[in-house]
Amino acid sequence: MNRDPLFGFQGSVLKSYLERNKLTEEQIILVYNGSGMTHEYNLAQVVIPEEGKQKRIVVRLLNSGEEVTFFRTGKSVLKKTGHYKVLPMVPWLIARFGLQDQIRFNWKWGYA
């Protein structure tokens, strides 16, 4: 399977999606982490939809309680070079979460 791990939400597409679909407090979204030769998706709750002058997005990961800040482009503030992004809810992934807060796939899309 050659599936895009960001499901088409890359670069300007993700930024324009986030601009068109304003986030709200307590909304559930996805956080993607592509480090370590895996595709990891975490459910997260929006804590602050637009903070400060640059209107950054603050989310809390449901599985760890860690708060992560993202630019309006969807990229992480602290992990700019890594593959760490905020994503909208993707039906294909949501169907696979079940009762979990995190799912991880290896690079061949098998469960890791």
Side-chain angles (χ1 to χ4, degrees):
M1 177 189 316
N2 186 11
R3 184 180 297 270
D4 174 11
L6 299 176
F7 301 94
F9 292 105
Q10 298 183 29
S12 62
V13 174
L14 179 57
K15 182 179 179 181
S16 64
Y17 178 88
L18 292 172
E19 288 173 352
R20 283 190 324 270
N21 302 287
K22 297 291 184 191
L23 298 175
T24 60
E25 279 188 46
E26 299 185 13
Q27 179 179 348
I28 301 296
I29 58 170
L30 294 171
V31 173
Y32 170 75
N33 180 0
S35 61
M37 298 296 287
T38 61
H39 303 295
E40 180 180 286
Y41 301 89
N42 290 285
L43 291 177
Q45 184 176 34
V46 176
V47 177
I48 303 171
E50 292 184 349
E51 178 185 51
K53 189 170 117 179
Q54 295 181 343
K55 299 182 181 177
R56 294 181 178 169
I57 302 163
V58 180
V59 303
R60 179 179 298 118
L61 301 178
L62 296 183
N63 66 337
S64 67
E66 174 188 5
E67 288 190 1
V68 184
T69 305
F70 294 90
F71 293 110
R72 285 182 291 171
T73 60
K75 292 182 180 180
S76 172
V77 171
L78 296 177
K79 302 174 184 180
K80 296 175 200 168
T81 58
H83 297 282
Y84 208 72
K85 298 183 185 292
V86 66
L87 295 175
M89 299 302 272
V90 176
W92 184 84
L93 288 173
I94 298 308
R96 283 152 181 81
F97 265 95
L99 299 175
Q100 304 172 86
D101 293 331
Q102 175 187 67
I103 53 174
R104 184 180 297 169
F105 301 97
N106 62 27
W107 282 62
K108 294 182 180 179
W109 291 97
Y111 286 102

